[in-house]
Amino acid sequence: MSERGAPASRRVSSRWPLRRWLTLAIGVLVLVFIGAVVAGSLAIAGLTEARTTIVDRVDPAVQHALRLDTALVDQETGLRGYVLTAKDEFLEPYDSGVERQRAAIANLRRSIVVRTDLLDRITSIETDVERWRTDYAEPTIDRVRATGVGGDAQTEEGKRRFDQVRAAVGGLQRELDLAREEGRATLASAASTLVIVCATIAIVLLVVFLLVAVVLRAAVAGPLAQLTGGVRRVADGDFQHELRVTGPREVTELAGDVDSMRRRILAEVSVQREVNAALDARTEDLKRSNAELEQFAYVASHDLQEPLRKVASFCQLLERRYKGQLDDRADQYIGFAVDGAKRMQVLINDLLAFSRVGRHARDRVPVAGADLVAQAETNLAEAIGEAGAVVEVGELPTVLGEAPLLTAVFQNLIGNAVKFRGTQPPVVRITAERDGEHWLFTVVDNGIGIEPEFAERVFVIFQRLHGKDAYPGTGIGLAMCRKIIEYHGGRIWLDPADDGGTRFRFTLPVAADATTPAGTLAETPTEKAQP
């Protein structure tokens, strides 16, 4: 068997173990998940960067550029009003414009710090503004403040310089507008990229999960299902089905172990079948032998009746006719022959009765236990009367059985109590009580008793504990009691008595409509007269 299993073990050694399959599947899922996380993070980072650029940089820069243009216009307007009127209140827009212009330029630098080209343009604008203010606005203010007289509007040179500054600011605004459009386009592209990445991740994850599921099903679940089906088929009794499973090493090794167990079970079943067949053959031989022995005992005991009767009759005739006419030894020999013929006749009758038990089954009818005991007492009236025996019978139930056979049980037990009596007159006590689904009968006497070591021997046919000279008998009575009780579905045994004597107990099934006896012991001394 080990040689047959060797190729399978070598074959499974080249298979991947289940741990490797699971590690591969988990590794693939982890890699795909990491790739999905990286791709999604990059797409989200691009979208965030585009949104930050347009929201936190470009749009604020556009607003600051507008504020810068407004501040420059306020400066030019305030300066013009002051030149025309020479009133100081017209310088307030000019002064506030200067402060707002500087704040706007500072905010612009912070907003577009990453655009060096725009930073250079802002620096150029700031230089032009400071030059216009230094070369034209401040000298004009000082002149008007010194003379107290206004004049014409700004000169051509001042106007040219201011228009140059306004043009530079306009160019900056156009650049910022262009940057905003580019930012919006970048934001839209980043959003589209994120959607595409998310959809791609979802599709890739779905495909990978499906592939992993298919691979695991083919590599793990399929072999396990195949092994389960094979094991269930073997468990249902198909021990000839060989388990052949391909898959992970653990599954194939398990299949090999189960198949090895199947082969061992199959071998043991084959051996057990051979043993059972041999036992069945021996059982049939024993049944046939027992039937032949019973048939032989019945035929022998039945057929020996007539010749033995003739022998006994002629021996008795010899005894009556020639007794006293021959010598004493002849009379003794004739007496031995008559006694032997009588004993043989009793033995054959007992053997015939024993062989008849169960041979011809009759319908079992309800019989009263008291009637059975009464019939047994009637049959033993002579022996009971000679021994002065007393039979005490309690309230006995009604049982299902064959009355002649059950009567023989009580007759043998009472007869043994009378035969094996002690120095006191025999007293036999018969009671019964309910024990589950059986009636428990007890027959107790005050005789010589039986030693516990002979408790089983007394129920063996032809087994005697005493010599024939001390106590007559054939050694069949208790064996026949056991056969009758077991034939009725009960059992009989010897229960050692506490105060000497003998106590037999036996059980009989309870009839369907049986009632429990009252259990009170009714003493019925019976002293039958000798017929």
Side-chain angles (χ1 to χ4, degrees):
M1 184 176 297
S2 61
E3 291 296 323
R4 293 175 57 188
S9 62
R10 289 194 296 268
R11 184 175 61 251
V12 300
S13 63
S14 62
R15 306 295 300 178
W16 275 18
L18 183 59
R19 182 178 300 175
R20 182 175 295 181
W21 281 107
L22 293 179
T23 302
L24 177 62
I26 294 173
V28 170
L29 291 177
V30 169
L31 290 177
V32 172
F33 182 76
I34 292 175
V37 170
V38 171
S41 300
L42 293 176
I44 293 174
L47 179 64
T48 303
E49 179 65 22
R51 184 189 63 81
T52 302
T53 299
I54 193 171
V55 173
D56 297 340
R57 295 173 185 172
V58 176
D59 284 346
V62 172
Q63 298 296 326
H64 295 320
L66 291 176
R67 292 190 183 96
L68 175 60
D69 185 68
T70 303
L72 293 176
V73 172
D74 289 344
Q75 290 182 49
E76 194 272 338
T77 303
L79 178 61
R80 185 185 303 172
Y82 182 71
V83 170
L84 292 176
T85 62
K87 294 181 179 180
D88 291 337
E89 61 266 21
F90 284 97
L91 288 177
E92 183 179 356
Y94 173 83
D95 294 333
S96 64
V98 172
E99 296 297 329
R100 286 186 283 112
Q101 168 229 316
R102 292 173 178 172
I105 290 175
N107 290 330
L108 277 172
R109 284 197 174 95
R110 285 194 297 269
S111 299
I112 56 176
V113 65
V114 295
R115 294 287 300 271
T116 57
D117 56 335
L118 295 181
L119 288 176
D120 293 340
R121 180 167 295 191
I122 292 173
T123 301
S124 176
I125 292 173
E126 184 179 19
T127 302
D128 292 341
V129 171
E130 291 297 331
R131 185 178 301 166
W132 172 77
R133 195 163 45 246
T134 302
D135 296 343
Y136 173 73
E138 294 297 334
T140 303
I141 293 173
D142 293 339
R143 179 176 58 81
V144 173
R145 183 175 292 142
T147 61
V149 178
D152 296 334
Q154 61 182 337
T155 63
E156 291 296 329
E157 180 64 20
K159 184 175 182 304
R160 183 184 64 77
R161 290 187 178 184
F162 187 78
D163 290 340
Q164 184 179 357
V165 173
R166 289 290 305 276
V169 173
L172 177 63
Q173 289 179 343
R174 286 191 296 273
E175 288 291 336
L176 291 176
D177 290 339
L178 181 60
R180 182 166 56 181
E181 293 298 327
E182 292 178 354
R184 288 179 179 177
T186 303
L187 180 62
S189 176
S192 301
T193 302
L194 179 61
V195 172
I196 294 173
V197 168
C198 291
T200 304
I201 290 174
I203 295 173
V204 170
L205 287 177
L206 179 61
V207 171
V208 170
F209 275 115
L210 289 177
L211 289 176
V212 169
V214 171
V215 171
L216 289 180
R217 180 179 179 83
V220 179
L224 287 176
Q226 185 180 2
L227 176 60
T228 301
V231 171
R232 185 176 294 112
R233 184 171 175 180
V234 173
D236 291 338
D238 186 7
F239 293 105
Q240 300 296 335
H241 178 67
E242 184 176 358
L243 293 176
R244 293 183 178 178
V245 179
T246 59
R249 183 180 302 170
E250 292 85 353
V251 177
T252 53
E253 289 178 353
L254 178 60
D257 294 338
V258 175
D259 193 64
S260 176
M261 180 176 63
R262 176 192 65 83
R263 290 194 296 269
R264 289 197 301 270
I265 293 175
L266 186 60
E268 292 176 1
V269 168
S270 299
V271 173
Q272 189 64 36
R273 286 176 179 174
E274 294 176 359
V275 172
N276 290 338
L279 289 177
D280 291 340
R282 292 184 180 181
T283 302
E284 291 298 326
D285 292 340
L286 288 176
K287 287 182 180 180
R288 183 170 58 256
S289 178
N290 288 336
E292 291 175 354
L293 287 175
E294 289 183 0
Q295 182 68 21
F296 170 76
Y298 176 78
V299 172
S301 58
H302 184 274
D303 293 346
L304 285 175
Q305 290 286 332
E306 185 60 29
L308 184 60
R309 190 179 296 111
K310 288 183 180 181
V311 172
S313 299
F314 283 105
C315 286
Q316 290 173 354
L317 288 175
L318 285 173
E319 183 181 23
R320 285 196 300 268
R321 177 169 296 184
Y322 296 105
K323 187 176 183 178
Q325 299 181 16
L326 303 175
D327 58 5
D328 293 338
R329 181 168 294 181
D331 291 341
Q332 185 180 8
Y333 290 164
I334 293 174
F336 287 159
V338 172
D339 182 65
K342 289 181 179 179
R343 288 185 181 180
M344 180 63 71
Q345 196 168 19
V346 173
L347 179 61
I348 289 175
N349 288 332
D350 289 346
L351 186 60
L352 182 62
F354 182 82
S355 64
R356 284 176 176 173
V357 175
R359 286 182 57 86
H360 304 288
R362 301 176 183 177
D363 292 337
R364 297 181 183 181
V365 296
V367 290
D371 295 342
L372 298 174
V373 175
Q375 183 61 45
E377 290 184 70
T378 301
N379 297 340
L380 296 171
E382 182 178 355
I384 291 175
E386 291 179 355
V390 176
V391 180
E392 300 175 354
V393 183
E395 186 172 352
L396 303 181
T398 298
V399 296
L400 288 176
E402 298 182 20
L405 296 180
L406 295 179
T407 300
V409 173
F410 285 107
Q411 182 174 330
N412 275 284
L413 295 179
I414 297 173
N416 283 344
V418 174
K419 184 195 309 184
F420 299 101
R421 61 182 178 271
T423 58
Q424 298 295 327
V427 177
V428 185
R429 186 176 295 106
I430 303 175
T431 58
E433 59 181 340
R434 182 74 175 265
D435 184 16
E437 298 299 323
H438 290 81
W439 293 112
L440 177 61
F441 290 84
T442 304
V443 180
V444 183
D445 62 47
N446 61 343
I448 62 175
I450 302 175
E451 295 298 329
E453 59 264 26
F454 303 120
E456 285 297 323
R457 181 179 173 185
V458 295
F459 293 103
V460 180
I461 191 171
F462 298 133
Q463 294 295 318
R464 297 174 54 87
L465 303 181
H466 307 280
K468 297 181 180 179
D469 296 335
Y471 296 98
T474 59
I476 298 178
L478 290 179
M480 186 161 61
C481 288
R482 168 172 281 185
K483 189 173 183 179
I484 293 172
I485 293 300
E486 291 179 352
Y487 171 69
H488 282 80
R491 65 187 186 95
I492 186 171
W493 67 96
L494 176 66
D495 191 10
D498 298 332
D499 53 354
T502 306
R503 177 164 56 193
F504 286 98
R505 287 186 169 180
F506 63 91
T507 60
L508 291 173
V510 175
D513 55 349
T515 57
T516 304
T520 56
L521 188 64
E523 290 193 7
T524 57
T526 305
E527 296 183 0
K528 302 289 184 179
Q530 181 176 350

